[in-house]
Amino acid sequence: MTDALVIAGHEFSSRFILGSGKFDLDLIRAAVEHAKAEIVTLALRRVNSFSGNILEHIPEGVTLLPNTSGARNAEEALKIARLAREAGCGGLIKIEVIRDSKYLLPDNYQTAKACEMLAKDGFIPLPYMYPDLYAARDMANAGAAAIMPLAAPIGSNQGLAAKQFIRILIEEIDLPIIVDAGIGKPSQACEAMEMGAAAVMANTAIATAGNIVEMAQAFRHAIIAGRTAYLAGMGRVLDRGSASSPLTGFIQD
Amino acid sequence: MERIDPMKYLPGMEVLENSDIEEQVVRAMEEYDYNRYTADEVKRALAADYPTPEDFGALLSPAAEPFLEAMARRARAETRKHFGNSVLLFTPLYISNYCENHCVYCGFNRANKIRRAKLSEDGIRAEMEAIARTGMEEVLILTGESRTMSGVEYIGRACEIARTYFKNVGIEVYPMNTDEYAYLHQRGADYVTVFQETYDRGGYERLHLAGHKRVFPYRLNAQERALRGGMRGVAFAALLGLCDFRKDAFAVGTHARAIQRRYPHAEISFSCPRLRPIINDDKINPKDVHERQLLQVMCAYRIFMPFAGLTISTRERALFRDNVIGMCATKISAGVSTGIGSHTEEENTGTGDSQFEISDGRSLEEVIAAIKSRGLQPVLNDYVYL
């Protein structure tokens, strides 16, 4: 497998992670297939809910990434993670600790604590976080297998509002940086990938699209384009125009 | 009969330290003059990325009425962004209709001659089993307001039983102290709904003639006590049509916002009940809150606090309910019966009368079908008890 996304030894050829909370279960399968997503996140609190079991709607070969949404502190995140393990979800877990019902911003301090507690309990934590370098380092040191900074408030479709801070994480943290939350358009996903993000996660952007399946496809292509551009090495972008004749052309030897 | 002072706490009622929520809400409501808004201000409110309380005031004003369609569109976009296409379902369960209060508009009021009943533990179990059998995963436990007939321990027992049948348990009972909320939280309840009925102190005094409920500030501070007691979420409502509905709706939003700012982790939701006819008085009805105004209030709540839950009552007819889910409402009841013991058909012992007339008696299955037919996703549980 070339250019695989590697998270704690798990290899994925797709760099598009799909959220599942905001659309119909029967559309999930189609969206996953057209997005060619290999990882689908879901809130543990939604598992088994409803007339259908969400697990039955996830195509085979797709890794289910449960999250701890509903947790307001590290201890609650650990409880939810354990419930996910009992439900048979495996060790990869996305940590979400939120103590703000308005913007649903992650609490970095509690999230770092949760990383430590979950790693000690045998989980592979993938923390959803506010892009802060120190917090990302703490999470990495605590055993996180990837860092998932938000691009903008969740559900806002505002795109890479936190771009400069995510760039710093990409440069400084030796773990996959997965841009999570706030991405509203394929072009924004592409931009995140161009700057070196390891993967992009989206849910609302697709759930609120006129045609879910086509939008899933558009995201897939955008993410591939951005990744390819990143690997190709971006052309220089200069602040000002540069003189085509060199200033030092008169030098002979 | 001597009436108690509605602004004075009775013995045993906890007075919250360090709280100015009541003052904030009442002052904002008193200053709210909905007649001063213009069409331009409504347009500005509709275009605001983050609507302010001032914008909320404009959206609730008569000047906003011609913009109802635009409000509905904005509301639908917000609902979609924050909740996707999911619609939560629940069933309310009345376990007792004894009441010590005298509220002139309510079917349970102590002066109203209705059949009173209270479920035994076995009765509660039977009712819950019947509801759970339909597939429902969330229950809202309701009582009339009587501490003697439905004490905190009795309600706590009902919560414990509910936890064995349901994933999510809410309560809509009389306001209580922080330690009592903590007790019920421990027994499995996580959401508290208290309708203030009206935030107009004068109107409140005229409508609530006797009983603990007559104490206005104790009721208003219930949500804050519930959160201090460890509850996860609280719901707010005014009974629209009792007093000036625009002012009351403005107070509801102001109250919810003040609580959210002080307790940012709290899950906030709204209910939008209108007055309904009751047994022995079918003339009770809101005079000025037509469906148009009701929808305006619901859209204003949604646009002002796009992240908050909004529950649509069975007081409204099925077609209205079906049209507001996904637009502004995020939660809908199904399989509703407001009498006591009315979910178990076979035994039917001790049946007590209803609090008000409902307008939508559809089963869970029927409501699920209606949700799906609108391209929305019925969700029976989105919650984990921790």
Side-chain angles (χ1 to χ4, degrees):
Chain A
M1 197 187 283
T2 57
D3 187 36
L5 166 66
V6 183
I7 300 172
H10 298 75
E11 288 199 5
F12 303 94
S13 60
S14 162
R15 292 175 179 271
F16 184 15
I17 299 175
L18 197 62
S20 66
K22 289 181 173 168
F23 52 107
D24 279 342
L25 292 181
D26 39 358
L27 275 170
I28 286 179
R29 177 176 288 272
V32 168
E33 282 165 0
H34 285 82
K36 294 259 189 298
E38 291 171 327
I39 303 175
V40 174
T41 66
L42 92 156
L44 176 90
R45 57 188 184 169
R46 281 278 186 95
V47 179
N48 289 329
S49 157
F50 183 91
S51 26
N53 183 336
I54 191 167
L55 304 174
E56 291 161 12
H57 292 263
I58 308 293
E60 247 179 77
V62 169
T63 299
L64 210 55
L65 178 61
N67 69 44
T68 63
S69 81
R72 290 159 295 189
N73 54 46
E75 290 75 21
E76 292 186 349
L78 180 61
K79 276 190 200 170
I80 296 176
R82 286 176 172 161
L83 291 171
R85 185 156 57 195
E86 279 168 30
C89 285
L92 279 179
I93 188 141
K94 179 179 163 192
I95 300 180
E96 279 189 39
V97 181
I98 288 168
R99 289 194 299 147
D100 179 272
S101 63
K102 185 172 184 183
Y103 292 105
L104 302 177
L105 293 175
D107 179 329
N108 277 356
Y109 172 65
Q110 290 292 331
T111 302
K113 273 184 27 182
C115 278
E116 196 174 330
M117 292 166 70
L118 266 75
K120 277 186 188 148
D121 207 50
F123 290 99
I124 303 165
L126 311 177
Y128 168 57
M129 54 96 70
Y130 193 86
D132 172 86
L133 178 61
Y134 300 109
R137 281 189 184 134
D138 289 342
M139 293 171 199
N141 290 336
I147 303 291
M148 304 182 74
L150 58 85
I154 192 164
S156 71
N157 284 1
Q158 284 170 2
L160 283 170
K163 185 175 175 181
Q164 298 310 328
F165 304 99
I166 293 175
R167 183 193 300 281
I168 292 170
L169 299 190
I170 291 172
E171 282 168 14
E172 302 301 323
I173 304 288
D174 295 326
L175 286 173
I177 304 297
I178 300 171
V179 175
D180 184 351
I183 295 288
K185 300 179 201 168
S187 56
Q188 295 158 353
C190 184
E191 191 181 1
M193 296 305 293
E194 282 172 358
M195 63 190 240
V200 165
M201 156 144 187
N203 182 8
T204 313
I206 290 161
T208 56
N211 184 320
I212 286 177
V213 167
E214 282 175 11
M215 187 57 82
Q217 227 164 3
F219 264 88
R220 172 188 159 222
H221 292 307
I223 287 165
I224 292 172
R227 178 65 183 175
T228 310
Y230 171 74
L231 293 175
M234 298 289 281
R236 293 183 307 157
V237 180
L238 297 181
D239 288 345
R240 292 171 214 92
S242 60
S244 50
S245 323
L247 297 176
T248 51
F250 61 92
I251 292 173
Q252 285 186 342
D253 59 3
Chain B
M1 189 174 84
E2 191 161 342
R3 306 242 187 259
I4 56 170
D5 179 352
M7 293 309 295
K8 226 168 116 190
Y9 282 74
L10 295 172
M13 286 182 173
E14 177 188 356
V15 181
L16 277 183
E17 305 281 327
N18 308 316
S19 175
D20 63 346
I21 303 259
E22 179 198 349
E23 196 193 316
Q24 277 186 52
V25 173
V26 171
R27 194 182 44 223
M29 188 186 77
E30 283 171 358
E31 287 169 3
Y32 177 53
D33 173 11
Y34 50 76
N35 284 318
R36 69 174 176 81
Y37 291 92
T38 62
D40 278 347
E41 284 168 312
V42 175
K43 283 187 206 160
R44 206 175 311 140
L46 272 170
D49 283 339
Y50 300 99
T52 60
E54 186 59 18
D55 292 326
F56 178 51
L59 295 174
L60 284 171
S61 72
E65 279 198 18
F67 295 92
L68 188 59
E69 184 62 28
M71 284 178 71
R73 282 177 197 284
R74 169 78 190 262
R76 188 178 62 177
E78 296 293 351
T79 302
R80 198 89 186 144
K81 248 189 341 194
H82 289 266
F83 298 87
N85 73 340
S86 47
V87 179
L88 286 161
L89 285 143
F90 75 105
T91 290
L93 172 64
Y94 285 77
I95 58 173
S96 166
N97 67 0
Y98 288 92
C99 195
E100 289 161 6
N101 297 314
H102 188 176
C103 313
V104 298
Y105 53 86
C106 178
F108 283 174
N109 96 59
R110 72 186 194 194
N112 200 16
K113 296 275 172 284
I114 61 167
R115 288 178 304 154
R116 302 282 172 176
K118 165 189 172 180
L119 294 176
S120 64
E121 278 192 24
D122 284 345
I124 292 172
R125 211 172 276 113
E127 287 280 291
M128 289 185 176
E129 204 176 299
I131 295 168
R133 222 181 293 128
T134 67
M136 195 60 88
E137 295 181 11
E138 174 170 346
V139 74
L140 175 66
I141 296 172
L142 297 99
T143 62
E145 302 199 359
S146 168
R147 272 186 180 263
T148 35
M149 292 308 287
S150 48
V152 174
E153 275 175 29
Y154 169 72
I155 297 168
R157 190 68 196 115
C159 291
E160 280 174 340
I161 297 169
R163 280 287 303 154
T164 66
Y165 291 103
F166 303 96
K167 291 186 177 155
N168 196 349
V169 179
I171 48 170
E172 189 173 332
V173 300
Y174 47 85
M176 49 186 72
N177 292 344
T178 302
D179 59 339
E180 293 168 321
Y181 282 122
Y183 171 83
L184 292 182
H185 174 61
Q186 241 178 18
R187 297 281 171 295
D190 229 351
Y191 293 87
V192 170
T193 300
V194 180
F195 290 4
Q196 182 63 24
E197 319 297 11
T198 178
Y199 287 78
D200 173 343
R201 284 174 180 159
Y204 192 92
E205 183 176 355
R206 283 191 299 279
L207 292 159
H208 304 94
L209 303 180
H212 280 209
K213 187 166 173 180
R214 188 165 161 83
V215 182
F216 176 90
Y218 185 69
R219 192 170 191 87
L220 197 146
N221 288 315
Q223 281 89 349
E224 190 167 9
R225 293 192 303 272
L227 290 170
R228 290 187 187 187
M231 292 287 178
R232 177 178 286 257
V234 284
F236 301 82
L239 185 51
L240 302 173
L242 274 186
C243 289
D244 186 330
F245 79 91
R246 294 187 200 275
K247 284 199 155 224
D248 268 332
F250 187 74
V252 169
T254 307
H255 191 184
R257 181 173 186 270
I259 289 283
Q260 200 276 333
R261 289 182 84 85
R262 175 118 193 220
Y263 303 90
H265 63 279
E267 289 182 12
I268 302 292
S269 61
F270 294 109
S271 293
C272 305
R274 282 196 295 171
L275 269 180
R276 293 289 302 161
I278 61 173
I279 292 176
N280 303 329
D281 194 346
D282 56 10
K283 288 186 199 65
I284 294 184
N285 238 326
K287 290 172 202 69
D288 45 4
V289 193
H290 304 282
E291 284 189 353
R292 205 177 165 76
Q293 283 79 28
L294 177 62
L295 185 60
Q296 183 188 0
V297 168
M298 293 174 71
C299 289
Y301 286 162
R302 167 58 60 233
I303 296 168
F304 182 48
M305 293 182 83
F307 54 90
L310 199 158
T311 304
I312 176 68
S313 166
T314 37
R315 288 169 172 87
E316 306 305 332
R317 65 197 171 97
L319 191 70
F320 183 90
R321 301 179 87 215
D322 288 354
N323 275 285
V324 296
I325 51 172
M327 179 211 293
C328 39
T330 54
K331 193 167 187 176
I332 186 166
S333 51
V336 177
S337 175
T338 54
I340 311 297
S342 47
H343 289 273
T344 37
E345 295 146 327
E346 307 89 53
E347 294 162 25
N348 235 351
T349 44
T351 299
D353 287 329
S354 301
Q355 188 177 19
F356 55 86
E357 284 180 18
I358 63 170
S359 299
D360 182 2
R362 286 178 298 173
S363 68
L364 175 61
E365 211 176 322
E366 289 168 305
V367 174
I368 283 182
I371 292 171
K372 284 185 174 169
S373 74
R374 305 189 76 83
L376 298 168
Q377 175 189 191
V379 175
L380 291 169
N381 180 49
D382 189 15
Y383 165 80
V384 50
Y385 181 77
L386 295 166

